């Protein structure tokens, strides 16, 4: 099947299904899990039904770059110095993210060196894959937490703290994975540029910041929603295209661009409104293609995703306990808040896709399988676990349905007030 036709079908399906979900079920699926899209993508991929072949998926890489860049930009917009703050949220989120990344990154580096199937992989590639898996495990879905709070009408210290903690972990996860890919010598050399990895990392930050400045210069204080929509799509395509060409992470570059715009542009408060309706279809598109890109693992390598899923749950619980142990708003008898951070949503798929877009990596299939498996498995019970935490903390049924936290964090007027993503 021709690549343009494949792209049209995927986009049409994503827009139709997400619109149907919203129309038929409304707020109950406002923050969709995405599990069904990953599974459907895998079924349609070259290793099951063969609806998408490998050539078509390779041709779709520039589109994937734009889609992941869009997600990164949206995650960057709430990272503002004007955002409402919750005491200790940044500290707790940072401790959890760094702890999970360091512990699991080290574990998988040792595993890759011990397994016969990966023992011959170069030291550099083992390090890069381990860092990406570590920070990928640290990524949590703030949207899923807000959805759980809305579904239970929760309100209280934990209901106000956890969305901001999750938003902090996802920003750190994106930056950690992006820096690892930017510092990968294989990516740098593939661009035919001889530059030190540290300078290349700074260059990736500079690209994102520069794109944000360009947006501010050309948009100014424009308040027309349609014009802002066109401007946002244009800046995301520019940033994603540069990142893709230079083998950087479009997710990270656009995150930095979004952060820059959020802090210097007077139009930042209206941008979420301009691009809100594209959030769910773009996530669905990403999950579909990511599922189709999945490559089955041979034999013993299946132990790696099993360890990843189980290890993330255990380390996340421990890290959350340590991080909130002395928090003034958290009762020490509250069940592990790590259970509220299990969901990863489309972010896990975005990190996996960015790793695949960087360059042909010997551990590409392993990293992709680990992150997609974690997103799918945790989505099965993350909502239940989140509700259990709120119930045992006594925070369910304590607020009116029209409370700001009852709405999506991506809605206008809610993104800045409902969470702090830095």
């Amino acid at each position: 099947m021709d690549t343009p036709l494949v792209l049209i079908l995927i986009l049409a399906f994503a827009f139709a299904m997400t619109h149907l979900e919203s129309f038929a079920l409304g707020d109950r699926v406002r923050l969709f899990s995405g599990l069904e899209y990953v599974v459907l993508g895998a079924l349609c991929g070259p290793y099951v039904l063969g609806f998408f072949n490998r050539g078509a998926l390779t041709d779709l890489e520039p589109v994937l770059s734009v889609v992941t860049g869009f997600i990164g930009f949206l995650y960057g917009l709430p990272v503002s110095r004007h955002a409402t703050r919750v005491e200790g949220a940044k500290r707790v989120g940072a401790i959890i993210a760094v702890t999970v990344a360091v512990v699991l990154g080290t574990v998988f580096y040792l595993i890759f060196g011990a397994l016969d199937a990966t023992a011959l992989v170069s030291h550099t590639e083992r390090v890069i894959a381990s860092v990406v898996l570590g920070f990928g495990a640290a990524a949590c879905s703030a949207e899923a937490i807000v959805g759980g709070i809305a579904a239970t009408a929760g309100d209280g210290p934990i209901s106000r703290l956890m969305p901001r903690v999750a938003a902090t972990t996802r920003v750190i996860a994106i930056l950690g994975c992006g820096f690892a890919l930017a510092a990968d010598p294989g990516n740098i050399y593939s661009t035919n540029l001889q530059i030190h990895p540290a300078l290349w990392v700074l260059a990736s930050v500079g690209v994102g910041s520069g794109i944000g400045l360009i947006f501010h210069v050309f948009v100014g204080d424009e308040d027309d929603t349609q014009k802002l929509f066109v401007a946002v799509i244009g800046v995301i395509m520019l940033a994603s295209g540069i990142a893709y060409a230079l083998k950087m992470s479009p997710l990270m570059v656009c995150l930095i661009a979004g952060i820059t715009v959020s802090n210097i542009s007077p139009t930042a408060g209206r941008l979420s409104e301009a691009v809100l309706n594209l959030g769910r279809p773009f996530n669905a598109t990403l999950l579909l293609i990511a599922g189709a890109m999945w490559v089955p693992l041979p034999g013993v390598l299946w132990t790696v995703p099993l360890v990843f899923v189980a290890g993330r749950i255990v380390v996340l619980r421990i890290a959350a306990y340590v991080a909130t142990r002395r928090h003034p708003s958290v009762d020490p008898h509250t069940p592990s808040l790590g259970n509220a951070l299990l969901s990863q949503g489309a972010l896990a798929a975005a990190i996996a896709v960015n790793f695949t877009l960087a360059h042909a990596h010997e551990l590409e299939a392993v990293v992709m399988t680990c992150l997609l498996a974690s997103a799918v498995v945790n989505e099965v019970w993350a909502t239940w676990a989140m509700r259990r935490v709120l119930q045992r903390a006594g925070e369910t049924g304590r607020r009116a349905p029209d409370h700001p936290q009852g709405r999506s964090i991506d809605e206008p007027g809610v993104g800045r007030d409902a969470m702090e993503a830095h």
Side-chain angles (χ1 to χ4, degrees):
M1 185 177 296
D2 293 338
T3 301
L5 179 58
V6 170
L7 177 59
I8 292 172
L9 290 176
I10 291 175
L11 292 175
F13 178 81
F15 275 84
M17 288 303 298
T18 53
H19 178 73
L20 179 62
E21 285 179 353
S22 297
F23 177 77
L25 300 176
D27 290 343
R28 284 174 291 176
V29 292
R30 179 183 295 278
L31 303 169
F32 69 96
S33 67
L35 182 154
E36 64 275 17
Y37 296 110
V38 175
V39 175
L40 181 60
L43 290 175
C44 294
Y47 295 96
V48 184
L49 299 178
F51 185 71
F52 305 138
N53 57 52
R54 298 301 299 175
L57 293 174
T58 300
D59 292 339
L60 288 175
E61 287 185 354
V63 176
L64 274 177
S65 177
V66 174
V67 172
T68 57
F70 179 88
I71 293 172
F73 190 84
L74 283 186
Y75 288 168
L77 286 179
V79 186
S80 169
R81 63 183 184 276
H82 304 297
T84 303
R85 299 179 181 275
V86 169
E87 182 181 359
K90 289 188 292 185
R91 178 182 60 82
V92 171
I95 291 174
I96 292 174
V98 173
T99 301
V100 171
V102 170
V103 172
L104 289 184
T106 302
V107 167
F108 284 101
Y109 175 76
L110 296 176
I111 289 176
F112 290 146
L115 290 175
D116 292 337
T118 57
L120 297 180
V121 176
S122 70
H123 174 265
T124 300
E125 296 210 342
R126 289 205 303 271
V127 170
I128 299 298
S130 300
V131 171
V132 171
L133 282 177
F135 280 102
C140 304
S141 173
E143 293 91 345
I145 293 177
V146 172
I149 294 170
T152 59
D155 189 27
I158 293 176
S159 297
R160 290 187 289 270
L161 176 68
M162 297 314 292
R164 294 162 171 83
V165 169
T168 301
T169 65
R170 76 181 180 189
V171 170
I172 293 176
I174 292 172
L175 292 176
C177 293
F179 290 160
L181 294 178
D184 186 350
N187 292 344
I188 298 173
Y189 297 148
S190 67
T191 62
N192 297 319
L193 296 174
Q194 302 297 322
I195 186 173
H196 192 277
L199 294 178
W200 200 240
V201 170
L202 292 177
S204 63
V205 175
V207 170
S209 301
I211 296 295
L213 289 172
I214 291 174
F215 178 89
H216 172 57
V217 169
F218 282 93
V219 173
D221 59 354
E222 177 64 55
D223 59 359
D224 184 89
T225 300
Q226 291 185 345
K227 292 181 179 179
L228 286 175
F229 173 81
V230 174
V232 168
I233 296 301
V235 78
I236 291 173
M237 292 182 67
L238 175 61
S240 301
I242 293 174
Y244 178 72
L246 297 179
K247 302 297 183 181
M248 297 173 179
S249 167
L251 187 66
M252 183 194 71
V253 170
C254 288
L255 172 80
I256 295 173
I259 293 173
T260 303
V261 169
S262 178
N263 283 278
I264 69 172
S265 175
T267 65
R270 298 186 291 273
L271 292 181
S272 293
E273 181 180 357
V275 296
L276 173 65
N277 292 331
L278 285 182
R280 297 181 68 197
F282 269 42
N283 278 333
T285 300
L286 171 66
L287 292 167
L288 277 168
I289 301 178
M293 293 173 65
W294 174 70
V295 177
L297 299 178
V300 69
L301 285 182
W302 273 107
T303 59
V304 180
L306 292 177
V307 172
F308 182 85
V309 173
R312 179 177 182 268
I313 294 173
V314 172
V315 177
L316 194 58
R317 286 171 59 93
I318 295 173
Y321 172 77
V322 172
T324 59
R325 183 177 171 184
R326 297 180 181 277
H327 194 282
S329 300
V330 178
D331 189 323
H333 300 293
T334 299
S336 176
L337 297 185
N339 291 340
L341 298 171
L342 292 173
S343 180
Q344 294 186 286
L347 181 54
I351 292 173
V353 166
N354 268 229
F355 182 78
T356 301
L357 292 177
H359 77 288
H361 198 289
E362 293 185 49
L363 295 174
E364 174 184 312
V366 176
V367 172
M368 174 73 78
T369 302
C370 286
L371 291 171
L372 291 183
S374 178
V376 170
V377 171
N378 283 313
E379 207 61 56
V380 173
W381 68 303
T383 301
W384 174 85
M386 175 69 190
R387 291 182 179 181
R388 182 66 173 165
V389 170
L390 295 177
Q391 287 171 353
R392 294 186 64 181
E395 295 191 5
T396 57
R398 293 175 56 179
R399 61 169 169 77
D402 60 348
H403 188 279
Q405 276 192 318
R407 308 200 303 274
S408 167
I409 61 174
D410 291 327
E411 289 186 25
V414 178
R416 292 174 180 272
D417 296 331
M419 75 176 195
E420 173 188 344
H422 65 296

